[in-house]
Amino acid sequence: MANPSILILAGDGIGPEVMAEVKKIIGWFGDRRGIAFDVTEDLVGGSAYDVHGTPLTDATMAKAQAVDAVLLGAVGGPKYDVLDFSVKPERGLLRLRKEMDLYSNLRPAQCFDALADFSSLKRDVVAGLDIMIVRELTSGVYFGEPRGIFPDNEGGRVGVNTQRYTTDEIRRVARSAFELARRRGNKVCSMEKANVMESGILWREEVQWVHDNEYPDVELSHMYADAGAMQLVRWPKQFDVIVTDNLFGDLLSDCAAMLTGSLGMLPSASLGAPTESGRPKALYEPVHGSAPDIAGQGKANPIACILSFAMALRYSFDMGEEATRVERAVEAVLADGARTADLMGPEGGVPVSTAGMGDLIVKALEASL
Ligand code: NAD
C-alpha cells in the first residue's frame, strides 16, 4: 500500500521555522515507528507571490487536491500589505479552503496542566480542559447573497449581509460533529440563535434530524449561542463537542482558544467530504499567523504546528494512538518547564528556542518507546 501523502506549505514569516520542527517529528515517525509519509513541499502566500506572482499556483492547488493531507504554516506579512486584494497572501489560503470545500473547521481547546496558570480563568476551571469546537466554514453570513453596501432611499447607505444555510450544509457539518463526538466524550452541543433567526430554527431542526436518524447514541443538546458564550467561560468542562455556524463559530472558537493561554499552542483542522480513500479532504494549520514581529529570531513556539500534525495523524491517518503520543510528548516537555518566549509566565521556566522545543519533543517521543 502507498505511504500516506502530505503536502507541506510552510508559507511566510515564522511558518517555515515552525514547520521545520514538524518535519523533525515526521522524520522521527519514519525512522523510529516505521510510519513513512510521502512528503512534498511547495510555496503558498507571499513566498509564492515572490516567485510566481500569485499566492497559490494552479499546480500547487492540484497537488493539494491529490494528497491525503495538507499541512500549512502561516501566510502574510507587512511586505505584502500593499498588494492588490486579489493576490494578497491570504487569498492563497482562502482558495485552498474553497476549492477543497473544507466545510468543517475543528478547533480544539485543550489546556495542558503545566500551562493552566496562563489562562485568565481560575486553574480549576481550565486545568485538564479538552473540548472541540466544530465551526461551519464555507457558508453562512460570510458568504450569503445579497451582500454589499447600497444607497438607501433617504440619501444614506445600507450595508447588507445575508445569513443563509441549506439543509445539506447543516447536515454535513452536523455529521462531522457527531462522528467526532463518538471518538471522544459522545456529547454534542449545537449552538445557534433559534430565538431570533429563522436560519437558527432550521439549524436546530436539521441537527436534531441528523441526530435522531443517524446518531441517536450520541447525547445532543441545543443552546443559544450567547448563552453558550457565557457557559464557555463559566464552566467549559461541561462541553465535549460544540457545533455551530460560521459566524458564531468564529467568535466562540477564539473565545474557547483563549481559555488555554498562548496563541502559539493552538492547532486546527479543516475537513471536507470523505474522498474515495475514505479520508476526508483535509488541511491542518496552527491558528496563529506569520508573526512578523518575531520571525527569524528563533522565538516562535512550534507547538501549535506540531499539534496540528497530531490532528492529521488522528483525523486523516486514523493513527489516534500516535497522535496521543505526540500530545503526551508535548505535555511532558512543558511539565519539565521548557518554555519558548511566549510561554514565559511569572513562574519562569527553562527558556528554549524554536528548534530547542522541537528537539525536546523528539526526545520525549523517543522516551515514549
Ligand atoms: P499573528 O498570529 O501572526 O501574531 C499575533 C501575536 O502573537 C504576535 O505578537 C506574535 O509574535 C505572536 N505569535 C503568533 N504565533 C506565535 C508563535 N507560534 N509563537 C510565539 N508567538 C506567536 O497575528 P498578526 O500579528 O495579527 O498577523 C501577522 C500576519 O499574519 C498578518 O500578515 C496576518 O494577515 C497574517 N495572518 C495569517 C494567518 C494564517 O496564515 N492563517 C492567520 C492570522 C494572521
Side-chain angles (χ1 to χ4, degrees):
M1 215 171 74
N3 293 333
S5 56
I6 295 177
L7 172 65
I8 290 184
L9 301 172
D12 310 320
I14 62 167
E17 298 170 39
V18 293
M19 199 57 86
E21 305 314 306
V22 175
K23 286 193 243 171
K24 288 179 187 168
I25 312 280
I26 294 175
W28 181 85
F29 272 101
D31 295 344
R32 304 291 293 152
R33 299 290 297 149
I35 302 171
F37 294 93
D38 285 340
V39 178
T40 46
E41 295 191 51
D42 213 329
L43 300 172
V44 71
S47 57
Y49 177 82
D50 287 341
V51 177
H52 302 294
T54 169
L56 188 80
T57 65
D58 292 345
T60 311
M61 188 66 239
K63 280 187 207 169
Q65 294 281 21
V67 292
D68 295 319
V70 178
L71 295 186
L72 190 130
V75 297
K79 177 178 162 194
Y80 307 105
D81 286 349
V82 294
L83 292 181
D84 184 73
F85 187 68
S86 63
V87 286
K88 275 202 190 296
E90 289 75 9
R91 301 301 297 173
L93 186 49
L94 293 177
R95 181 175 176 197
L96 281 165
R97 288 179 183 156
K98 182 159 185 284
E99 293 193 19
M100 292 168 76
D101 198 14
L102 304 172
Y103 56 82
S104 177
N105 182 222
L106 277 49
R107 291 268 300 263
Q110 204 175 2
C111 185
F112 292 101
D113 265 7
L115 298 181
D117 291 326
F118 255 79
S119 173
S120 50
L121 299 188
K122 292 193 194 88
R123 169 173 267 276
D124 67 317
V125 176
V126 293
L129 178 73
D130 179 10
I131 63 179
M132 179 73 82
I133 303 216
V134 178
R135 165 189 173 193
E136 199 290 325
L137 200 60
T138 51
S139 184
V141 74
Y142 292 167
F143 296 93
E145 298 282 348
R147 63 182 298 163
I149 300 175
F150 309 101
D152 68 10
N153 294 331
E154 278 110 46
R157 295 186 301 162
V158 56
V160 177
N161 290 94
T162 303
Q163 167 82 328
R164 183 179 188 280
Y165 270 108
T166 66
T167 293
D168 282 353
E169 286 167 346
I170 300 168
R171 288 187 184 180
R172 65 182 187 172
V173 74
R175 286 188 185 101
S176 174
F178 286 121
E179 287 292 334
L180 267 171
R182 276 185 176 162
R183 301 162 75 151
R184 298 170 42 95
N186 216 35
K187 275 200 317 192
V188 170
C189 180
S190 170
M191 294 189 186
E192 29 53 26
K193 289 282 288 173
N195 49 341
V196 286
M197 296 170 78
E198 284 74 9
S199 59
I201 296 173
L202 185 74
W203 182 280
R204 186 174 283 224
E205 288 176 359
E206 294 298 347
V207 171
Q208 189 69 48
W209 187 93
V210 174
H211 171 267
D212 295 350
N213 288 280
E214 300 174 19
Y215 299 89
D217 53 302
V218 180
E219 192 186 316
L220 171 66
S221 59
H222 301 276
M223 213 178 260
Y224 298 137
D226 49 345
M230 283 198 279
Q231 291 301 327
L232 259 181
V233 289
R234 191 185 72 83
W235 189 244
K237 288 182 201 169
Q238 69 186 282
F239 298 113
D240 176 27
V241 175
I242 293 171
V243 63
T244 188
D245 74 15
N246 202 342
L247 173 63
F248 297 138
D250 197 359
L251 306 181
L252 292 171
S253 62
D254 271 13
C255 173
M258 275 302 107
L259 299 175
T260 68
S262 168
L263 201 48
M265 295 293 300
L266 300 170
S268 80
S270 301
L271 307 180
T275 60
E276 270 172 28
S277 68
R279 295 174 173 136
K281 288 260 164 107
L283 179 129
Y284 299 88
E285 57 181 324
V287 167
H288 63 71
S290 59
D293 54 332
I294 57 166
Q297 300 173 33
K299 284 187 184 165
N301 182 353
I303 292 179
C305 207
I306 289 170
L307 291 177
S308 300
F309 172 63
M311 290 186 85
L313 289 173
R314 182 170 285 121
Y315 298 118
S316 280
F317 304 125
D318 220 8
M319 296 181 194
E321 280 177 23
E322 301 301 339
T324 305
R325 186 189 296 281
V326 174
E327 288 157 359
R328 295 232 167 101
V330 168
E331 201 167 5
V333 169
L334 293 172
D336 278 349
R339 299 282 186 269
T340 42
D342 58 311
L343 300 180
M344 263 313 170
E347 85 286 11
V350 184
V352 293
S353 64
T354 309
M357 183 61 95
D359 291 341
L360 286 173
I361 293 169
V362 169
K363 250 192 197 166
L365 284 170
E366 191 65 26
S368 75
L369 295 180

